[in-house]
Amino acid sequence: MELIQQDPDIAAYLAADEAVDHDHPQVNGVAADLASRADDAYAYARTAFAYVRDTIPHSADSGDLRVTWRASDVLATRTGICYAKSIALTALLRAHAIPAGLCYQRLTDDDGANPVVHGLVALRLPGRDRWARVDPRGNKPGVDARFSLDTERLAWAVREELGEIDYPALHATPPPAVLQALRNARDRTELWRMLPARL
């Protein structure tokens, strides 16, 4: 999928902000530990992806009711939904000077009802001329997302016949609808009612 940078300046995809707070000691500590196990940018990106996918449970899978939205909080509490986990992976990548951004899909139930926006990450490694999407949501029965730069291995492929969409926009910061839901929900039960159905 060809992504469209919402900000033409690649520096925007390396910057820290309130949510992607890779200047926070919690993020820097995890990034330093991951970097000690990787000998190049590709190995670091693959290791960071596996770390977020496999060691931070998706709160719907674990039953955790806490809502996280800052990368540092996701890494400290080790919980979050797809949006939060994507923010955390983006921060870890940027902490290692790998351009990364947030991208999204619109998914539905098998009958096309109950649309919801699902969060992903796109990264651009040195020497590559395009962005690659990865999905750190976390695997479970029926979901097998992998780190792959050439052939996408996301949790879900969109079903256009059901009105599902791969949004082409690549965001440097979380879109307002996503951030508003994460910041305003008192718990995950309330968050489920506030999730955006479209961007």
Side-chain angles (χ1 to χ4, degrees):
M1 153 141 216
E2 194 67 35
L3 294 169
I4 301 168
Q5 289 180 212
Q6 295 300 285
D7 191 316
D9 186 353
I10 197 72
Y13 298 92
L14 291 164
D17 61 39
E18 190 177 17
V20 185
D21 59 343
H22 66 78
D23 52 356
H24 190 283
Q26 178 71 40
V27 179
N28 284 319
V30 173
D33 180 57
L34 297 174
S36 72
R37 298 182 247 160
D39 55 6
D40 62 17
Y42 177 88
Y44 175 84
R46 186 180 64 236
T47 301
F49 168 81
Y51 179 84
V52 174
R53 182 193 64 188
D54 299 341
T55 72
I56 301 171
H58 190 289
S59 56
D61 297 345
S62 67
D64 196 321
L65 293 177
R66 294 174 292 174
V67 177
T68 53
W69 61 274
R70 283 189 182 95
S72 55
D73 292 337
V74 176
L75 296 172
T77 61
R78 301 177 79 84
T79 190
I81 68 165
C82 62
Y83 301 154
K85 292 184 66 167
S86 293
I87 289 168
L89 177 57
T90 298
L92 288 173
L93 292 169
R94 291 182 187 182
H96 201 64
I98 298 171
L102 302 158
C103 48
Y104 300 88
Q105 296 173 311
R106 181 176 181 259
L107 304 172
T108 68
D109 292 340
D110 288 341
D111 61 359
N114 301 314
V116 67
V117 174
H118 174 60
L120 308 168
V121 173
L123 67 151
R124 193 162 181 176
L125 286 173
R128 296 188 63 90
D129 61 356
R130 58 184 289 274
W131 293 93
R133 294 190 306 170
V134 295
D135 190 343
R137 181 233 179 264
N139 290 338
K140 62 179 185 175
V143 175
D144 185 26
R146 304 285 179 100
F147 184 83
S148 176
L149 301 181
D150 297 315
T151 303
E152 288 188 336
R153 297 288 306 273
L154 307 177
W156 293 282
V158 300
R159 301 168 294 182
E160 293 180 3
E161 68 277 11
L162 296 178
E164 296 182 341
I165 300 168
D166 274 319
Y167 289 108
L170 178 59
H171 301 267
T173 61
V178 168
L179 199 53
Q180 180 178 355
L182 290 172
R183 292 180 70 173
N184 293 340
R186 289 173 294 201
D187 60 28
R188 187 173 42 80
T189 302
E190 186 174 69
L191 177 61
W192 256 214
R193 295 191 298 269
M194 300 171 67
L195 293 176
R198 60 183 43 83
L199 290 180

